[in-house]
């Protein structure tokens, strides 16, 4: 294990295991043929890709160290890799030396954080996913119209803190359908609901149903707040889970969309489902009697980590891999404007935020 201690972050990180250590899992007999159903889409979304490239390019442009407020994306491998390249992760902008470069993470920040960075003379690069920024704008708009916002999301998640900061006095957080029963609002006819981008679609719809029951005139957001990547990965794992004895989700414990994938798999037919950061965490006993293994990964997971899982599963006899594809994704976002050109003024080929896996 490695331990990040830069700033206030103190995260135990499993040591990256690339290249993979092979032949750890044993090929034990099961009643029928062994196979893997590999969900697609999986892994990196456009917002994560853009944020990770933003840190890489900031290091190229400005040299090490570049400070990053919070984990740039919620994945221990990505964070530890960037740290090894010279990024320093901190919890708050007050930990960044005055005048230094700081990158805001894909999960977004509140206006108070932006102001805090400006007060310290920091050179801020905003890697907030544009789909999170869209929710921020909705919060600002509805707040300025005097509406009260019911934000569906998880307390303590950085995205929720950032969104609430855009309409702090006019937002109430609801974390699940049951919490709707306890909601106290001033004007039941002046409500609008918004949501975190990485929630379970089904659970959120249940929360909305309960909100509508109690507050029939509550207004919907102008468009989906749960992002395309979260929705697509949940649709794919639902299809995989129906036929899976076991589902393995590659993703970190603090990755909301990865944790949701485990829940969705269990709700849609998987007999068991586990989340792992690395293939080395797969336990031999998970494979007892298992014929079909479903595999997917959260939106902040590089494909190399999925490949390690597939390699280890192949060692255990699961070399027959069929992809279950439910959508094509080709969305790309422009990089933050400070980073679109290299030192010669040429537009970097990654400037659109996309990269091959
Ligand atoms: S999961 Fe969705 S909202 Fe979050 S970074 Fe990816 S595309 Fe953006």
């Amino acid at each position: 294990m490695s331990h990040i201690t830069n700033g206030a972050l103190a995260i135990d990180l499993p040591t990256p295991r690339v290249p993979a250590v092979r032949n750890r899992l044993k090929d034990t007999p099961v009643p029928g043929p062994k196979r893997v159903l590999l969900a697609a889409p999986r892994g990196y979304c456009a917002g994560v890709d853009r944020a990770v490239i933003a840190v890489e390019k900031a290091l190229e442009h400005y040299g090490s160290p570049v400070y990053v407020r919070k984990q740039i994306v919620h994945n221990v491998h990505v964070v530890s890799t960037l740290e090894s390249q010279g990024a320093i992760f901190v919890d708050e902008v007050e930990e960044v030396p005055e005048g230094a470069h700081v990158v805001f993470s894909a999960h977004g920040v509140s206006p108070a954080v932006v102001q805090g960075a400006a007060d310290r003379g920091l050179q801020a690069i905003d890697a907030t996913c544009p789909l999170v920024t869209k929710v921020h704008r909705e919060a600002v708009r509805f707040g300025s119209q005097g509406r009260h916002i019911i934000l569906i999301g998880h307390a303590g998640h950085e995205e929720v803190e950032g969104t609430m900061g855009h309409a702090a006095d006019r937002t109430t957080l609801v974390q699940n359908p049951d919490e709707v029963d306890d909601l106290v609002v001033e004007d039941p006819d002046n409500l609008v609901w918004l949501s975190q981008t990485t929630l379970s679609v089904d659970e959120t719809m249940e929360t909305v149903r309960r909100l509508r029951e109690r507050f029939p005139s509550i207004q919907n957001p102008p468009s989906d707040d749960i992002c395309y990547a979260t929705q697509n990965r949940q649709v794919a794992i639902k299809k995989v889970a129906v036929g899976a004895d076991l589902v393995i989700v590659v993703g970190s414990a603090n990755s909301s969309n990865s944790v949701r994938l485990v829940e969705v798999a269990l709700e849609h037919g998987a007999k068991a489902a586990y989340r792992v950061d690395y293939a080395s965490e797969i336990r031999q006993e998970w494979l007892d009697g298992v014929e079909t293994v479903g595999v997917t990964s959260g939106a902040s997971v590089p494909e190399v980590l999925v490949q390690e899982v597939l390699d280890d599963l192949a060692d255990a006899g699961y070399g027959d891999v069929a992809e279950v594809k439910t959508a094509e994704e080709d969305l790309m976002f422009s990089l933050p404007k400070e980073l679109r050109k290299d030192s010669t003024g040429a537009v970097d080929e990654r400037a659109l935020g996309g990269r091959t896996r």
Side-chain angles (χ1 to χ4, degrees):
M1 303 278 278
S2 63
H3 194 68
I4 285 185
T5 53
N6 292 314
L9 254 191
I11 308 163
D12 284 322
L13 298 173
T15 304
R17 200 175 67 86
V18 180
V21 176
R22 301 297 304 273
N23 298 312
R24 194 182 55 81
L25 297 174
K26 300 288 167 261
D27 185 353
T28 55
V30 297
K34 292 181 173 181
R35 64 173 182 160
V36 169
L37 298 179
L38 181 60
R42 64 182 176 278
Y44 266 21
C45 62
V48 163
D49 203 12
R50 171 182 187 264
V52 173
I53 293 175
V55 178
E56 292 171 349
K57 285 184 66 75
L59 286 163
E60 284 169 29
H61 276 229
Y62 311 119
S64 173
V66 163
Y67 292 82
V68 184
R69 181 186 178 275
K70 308 286 187 188
Q71 292 190 347
I72 184 71
V73 299
H74 284 159
N75 183 268
V76 292
H77 181 77
V78 171
V79 169
S80 60
T81 301
L82 290 172
E83 190 198 35
S84 72
Q85 294 169 5
I88 294 181
F89 293 88
V90 298
D91 248 357
E92 295 303 341
V93 291
E94 286 70 26
E95 299 161 44
V96 181
E98 290 188 11
H101 288 92
V102 63
V103 181
F104 296 146
S105 82
H107 303 103
V109 293
S110 69
V113 171
V114 176
Q115 187 59 52
D119 290 346
R120 293 182 66 72
L122 304 183
Q123 310 291 313
I125 298 159
D126 188 359
T128 302
C129 175
L131 299 182
V132 174
T133 302
K134 176 186 83 80
V135 183
H136 289 176
R137 292 203 178 111
E138 291 168 357
V140 169
R141 180 154 65 89
F142 289 121
S144 66
Q145 290 170 355
R147 311 297 296 268
H148 193 85
I149 298 162
I150 306 297
L151 178 64
I152 305 171
H154 295 135
H157 191 282
E158 289 142 46
E159 182 188 322
V160 165
E161 289 173 354
T163 301
M164 290 190 81
H166 281 77
D169 300 338
R170 309 203 64 85
T171 307
T172 302
L173 184 66
V174 169
Q175 299 194 78
N176 56 55
D178 291 341
E179 286 193 6
V180 173
D181 297 342
D182 302 325
L183 259 183
V184 178
V185 298
E186 213 167 279
D187 181 357
D189 293 322
N190 193 31
L191 301 177
V192 58
W193 69 270
L194 301 177
S195 86
Q196 190 178 333
T197 57
T198 51
L199 301 178
S200 155
V201 174
D202 294 341
E203 186 181 281
T204 302
M205 287 305 103
E206 175 57 14
T207 305
V208 171
R209 192 189 66 74
R210 301 266 283 267
L211 282 169
R212 289 210 166 289
E213 250 175 31
R214 279 204 63 198
F215 312 111
S217 64
I218 190 168
Q219 185 182 330
N220 292 326
S223 60
D224 282 348
D225 286 341
I226 298 180
C227 76
Y228 81 98
T230 300
Q231 296 194 34
N232 285 349
R233 281 148 192 72
Q234 288 178 19
V235 169
I237 200 58
K238 283 180 187 176
K239 194 160 179 191
V240 164
V242 171
D245 302 308
L246 164 71
V247 165
I248 295 172
V249 177
V250 187
S252 289
N254 61 346
S255 162
S256 174
N257 77 84
S258 300
V259 173
R260 301 289 85 75
L261 287 170
V262 174
E263 296 169 357
V264 170
L266 289 170
E267 287 161 5
H268 287 81
K271 293 178 188 148
Y274 299 99
R275 180 200 55 75
V276 297
D277 268 302
Y278 293 102
S280 56
E281 295 166 27
I282 299 172
R283 296 198 199 144
Q284 183 70 48
E285 61 266 28
W286 294 353
L287 301 173
D288 286 350
V290 166
E291 294 174 9
T292 301
V293 183
V295 174
T296 189
S297 56
S300 48
V301 177
E303 185 66 4
V304 64
L305 300 180
V306 175
Q307 192 54 54
E308 283 189 10
V309 166
L310 296 178
D311 289 346
D312 277 16
L313 288 173
D315 290 340
Y318 300 89
D320 173 11
V321 179
E323 191 168 69
V324 177
K325 180 176 271 191
T326 53
E328 295 281 353
E329 291 182 349
D330 56 8
L331 186 66
M332 293 190 292
F333 296 127
S334 299
L335 286 174
K337 60 181 182 310
E338 302 85 351
L339 302 172
R340 285 181 204 160
K341 293 185 177 171
D342 66 18
S343 51
T344 67
V347 176
D348 187 293
E349 63 181 8
R350 297 171 302 169
L352 290 175
R355 81 170 120 192
T356 51
R357 291 181 198 232

